[in-house]
């Protein structure tokens, strides 16, 4: 495991995360925190006097009746529910490396969740959490404040962000959110929270100081070297201790096949379509599951295709869709927000065939279908025959959505974009097997027919007809926006780094496979779906005397704020190469109710 204190050094118990807010209702909110010990008991303590009570009194108070008011102090108690995070591990690629020469090792971690109830709209209440470790020692968080969901008419500011992935500029970005905007009312993360969802350190304590929770809680410690070679340390922003966190699934929330002895990165990239695993199971069902136990069948198929377990165990989201918490809808103040599960595995566009690729299989082709890549396959369908699109159609027709002042959709994959990941079309790979004159398989390649793009053919028309005003996506690590027939499309994912923009003014081109691949199914530059990007309206980047209609930078880090007071969406940039510079406003547009 990751090295700890020397044997003769006393260990002071501590929480692995500060508490973070989840799934508020009109009169309650869930508080979650994570520890490296199961502990004896765990509590949420909230009320006006929670900061004034001594630790010993808090322990006594927590062990008493639920609403005990000790010595006339207003403190309420809610005992936490605890689960062990089932798939968290480390390996030799973790930071710092784990002592794991034979493959990933389990890292025991526990998630605790308690709900504050009886809250009044518009009122913030002090709270803290208390855990008794395995030896009965109290471990207490600092004091923060919580609130229930805002009511319609209550103005809120929402951070729109994505693609944190333990990348270098992420803590600087989130620190500047706090310094520039102050306390936001919610955080919407549109996927790619970490790189490998089963690697615990990327969530909690990566040695580079860029782990997900510390960066969003002001507990990070990331160093960036500026243009003069001087180092600046960034702590991130104290955000989710005070504001609820809403997330959607990106490709980096999906873990691939469970392969003992292989590293976590290998497992992550080894995902195959669920149907491939189901076929493999049926061929071996008598050997794998002679009793026909449905739980054994489901577990085997999941372990041999892909899973979302670590992500789903960490977060509490609305769960009333056919996909449970994987896609959802929620009302937050004047916003009706819909979170979709729109992502596919990322495969390399290179054609050298030394690993499974976007356009061709590895060569030589493995005999076992489970060891093949199956192209850039989709994890959850959103075409016209899918459960997700049918649910979305019902949601968009609901009074909650139709009557909302602001109607927002969150999804990871772009409908429109200038990034590398906007091509090829978002559709099921068409597998083409090449054979010699003797019928021997010589090559496997994949096409992505443009006419079958699920997002353009099926999703976009539905969003437009329903009056969606804003679609926020991530995935390509840049800033760009588009507008088409009443709908704004925004990607504001130039957070931790950038992989560039592919536009006529930028000079870069996306990899496009040569014949025999159909050239109509890949786009080297621009938005593959035909829209022109809108340049930042206030302070764009330039190339000489030319205004660039995007920002793609490994020096600038960007964030965007949706403010329901006036319907504005404002994007800001900070120059990490000049740490003394001011955060500048680069773009603003207004959502029309």
């Amino acid at each position: 495991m990751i090295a700890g204190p020397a044997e003769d050094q006393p260990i002071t118990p501590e929480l692995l995360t500060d508490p973070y807010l989840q799934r508020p209702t009109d009169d309650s909110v869930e508080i979650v925190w994570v520890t490296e010990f199961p502990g004896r008991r765990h509590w949420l303590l909230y009320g006006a006097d929670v900061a004034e009570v001594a630790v010993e009194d808090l322990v006594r108070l927590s062990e008493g009746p639920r609403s005990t008011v000790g010595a006339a102090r207003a403190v309420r108690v809610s005992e936490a529910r605890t689960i062990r995070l089932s798939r968290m591990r480390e390996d030799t690629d973790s930071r710092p490396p784990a002592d794991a020469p034979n493959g990933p090792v389990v890292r025991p971690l526990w998630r605790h969740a308690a709900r504050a109830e009886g809250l009044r709209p518009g009122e913030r209440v002090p709270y803290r959490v208390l855990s008794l470790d395995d030896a009965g020692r109290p471990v207490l968080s600092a004091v923060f404040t919580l609130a229930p969901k805002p009511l319609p008419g209550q103005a809120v500011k929402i951070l729109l962000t994505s693609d944190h992935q333990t990348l270098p500029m992420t803590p600087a970005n989130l620190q500047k959110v706090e310094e520039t905007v102050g306390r936001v009312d919610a955080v919407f993360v549109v996927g790619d929270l970490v790189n490998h969802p089963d690697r615990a350190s990327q969530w909690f304590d990566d040695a580079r100081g860029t782990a997900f929770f510390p960066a969003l809680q002001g507990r990070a410690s990331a160093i960036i070297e500026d243009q003069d070679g001087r180092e600046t340390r960034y702590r991130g922003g104290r955000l989710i201790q005070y504001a609820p966190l809403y997330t959607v699934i990106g490709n980096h929330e999906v873990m691939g096949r469970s392969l003992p002895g292989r590293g976590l990165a290998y497992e992550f990239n080894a995902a195959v379509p669920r149907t491939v695993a189901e076929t493999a199971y049926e061929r071996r069902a008598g050997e794998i599951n002679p009793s026909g136990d449905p739980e054994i069948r489901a577990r085997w198929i999941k372990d041999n295709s892909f899973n979302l377990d670590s992500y789903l165990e960490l977060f509490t989201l609305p769960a009333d869709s056919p996909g449970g918490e994987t896609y959802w809808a929620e009302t937050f103040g004047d916003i009706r927000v819909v979170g979709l599960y729109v992502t596919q595995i990322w495969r390399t566009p290179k054609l050298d065939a030394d690993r499974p690729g976007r356009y061709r299989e590895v060569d030589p082709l493995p005999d076992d279908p489970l060891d093949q890549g199956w192209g850039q396959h989709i994890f959850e369908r959103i075409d016209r025959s899918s459960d997700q699109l049918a649910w979305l159609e019902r949601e968009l027709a609901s009074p909650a959505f139709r009557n909302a002042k602001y109607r927002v959709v969150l999804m990871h994959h772009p409908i429109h974009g200038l990034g590398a990941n906007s091509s090829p079309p978002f559709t099921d790979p068409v597998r083409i097997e090449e054979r010699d004159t003797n019928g021997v398989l010589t090559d496997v390649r994949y096409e992505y027919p443009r006419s079958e793009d699920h997002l353009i053919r099926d999703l976009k028309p539905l969003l437009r007809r329903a009056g969606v005003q804003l679609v926020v996506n991530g995935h390509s690590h840049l800033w760009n926006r588009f507008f088409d027939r009443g709908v704004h499309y925004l990607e504001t994912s130039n957070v931790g780094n950038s992989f560039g923009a592919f536009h006529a003014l930028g000079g870069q081109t996306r990899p496009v496979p040569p014949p025999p691949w159909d050239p109509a199914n890949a786009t080297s530059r621009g938005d593959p779906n035909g829209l022109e990007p809108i340049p930042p309206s206030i302070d764009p980047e330039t190339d000489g005397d030319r205004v660039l209609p995007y920002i793609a930078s490994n020096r600038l880090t960007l964030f965007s704020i949706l403010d329901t007071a006036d319907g504005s969406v404002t994007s800001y940039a900070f120059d990490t190469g000049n740490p003394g510079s001011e955060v500048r406003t680069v773009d603003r547009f207004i959502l029309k109710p």
Side-chain angles (χ1 to χ4, degrees), residues 122-381:
E123 181 180 4
R124 298 203 68 88
V125 177
Y127 81 95
R128 66 198 317 181
V129 298
L130 171 64
S131 289
L132 297 184
D133 75 355
D134 299 344
R137 293 173 294 184
V139 189
L140 197 62
S141 76
V143 176
F144 310 103
T145 62
L146 54 78
K149 275 201 307 188
L151 294 175
Q154 180 180 337
V156 296
K157 293 180 179 179
I158 311 293
L159 171 63
L160 308 175
T161 185
S162 71
D163 298 88
H164 292 189
Q165 293 180 252
T166 62
L167 288 166
M169 296 193 296
T170 300
N173 179 289
L174 298 170
Q175 182 171 326
K176 294 304 173 180
V177 171
E178 183 185 10
E179 293 174 359
T180 305
V181 182
R183 185 172 298 154
V184 296
D185 297 288
V187 177
F188 293 171
V189 187
V190 292
D192 284 7
L193 286 63
V194 295
N195 275 322
H196 307 128
D198 287 2
R199 192 185 304 280
S201 50
Q202 291 185 353
W203 293 105
F204 305 113
D205 52 9
D206 190 285
R208 292 166 291 188
T210 55
F212 178 77
F213 284 107
L216 278 164
Q217 296 187 320
R219 300 169 53 249
S221 182
I223 295 174
I224 294 179
E225 191 173 283
D226 68 18
Q227 60 191 4
D228 298 318
R230 294 171 300 201
E231 293 183 342
T232 302
R233 188 178 300 272
Y234 295 95
R235 59 169 173 77
R238 291 167 292 216
L239 303 175
I240 60 174
Q241 299 99 318
Y242 301 93
L245 174 65
Y246 291 91
T247 58
V248 299
I249 296 165
N251 54 300
H252 283 276
E253 278 65 69
V254 187
M255 197 68 184
R257 298 165 57 206
S258 298
L259 298 168
R262 297 284 195 171
L264 292 171
Y266 188 95
E267 286 190 11
F268 170 77
N269 287 302
V272 302
R274 201 78 86 195
T275 53
V276 173
E278 289 169 348
T279 300
Y281 171 85
E282 295 304 329
R283 287 200 306 265
R284 300 174 52 195
E287 170 194 346
I288 297 166
N289 187 14
S291 67
D293 187 328
E295 291 187 6
I296 293 175
R297 179 184 186 276
R299 179 71 187 203
W300 193 94
I301 291 170
K302 180 165 69 170
D303 284 347
N304 286 277
S305 55
F306 59 88
N307 75 84
L308 295 162
D309 290 0
S310 288
Y311 168 82
L312 292 174
E313 289 172 356
L314 280 170
F315 301 107
T316 303
L317 294 160
D320 52 2
S321 78
E325 294 174 281
T326 63
Y327 49 94
W328 49 266
E330 180 82 304
T331 297
F332 194 85
D334 285 330
I335 303 170
R336 184 66 174 179
V337 56
V338 178
L340 298 178
Y341 182 5
V342 181
T343 193
Q344 59 192 166
I345 194 166
W346 186 90
R347 298 288 191 213
T348 178
K350 295 180 180 179
L351 300 177
D352 50 19
D354 63 346
R355 56 177 167 152
R358 184 176 304 176
Y359 297 110
R360 68 176 299 188
E361 275 292 352
V362 65
D363 186 17
L365 185 71
D367 293 331
D368 188 345
L370 292 174
D371 292 329
Q372 299 175 27
W374 299 94
Q376 201 154 274
H377 56 88
I378 294 170
F379 288 119
E380 179 73 20
R381 302 185 67 84

Side-chain angles (χ1 to χ4, degrees), residues 59-90:
V59 172
R60 285 194 293 271
L61 183 63
S62 61
E63 293 176 334
R66 181 180 176 84
S67 298
T68 298
V69 180
R73 294 190 182 276
V75 178
R76 300 192 67 192
V77 178
S78 177
E79 186 156 8
R81 306 170 308 283
T82 294
I83 63 166
R84 180 167 172 171
L85 301 178
S86 64
R87 290 185 182 259
M88 288 294 177
R89 293 167 291 161
E90 305 286 4

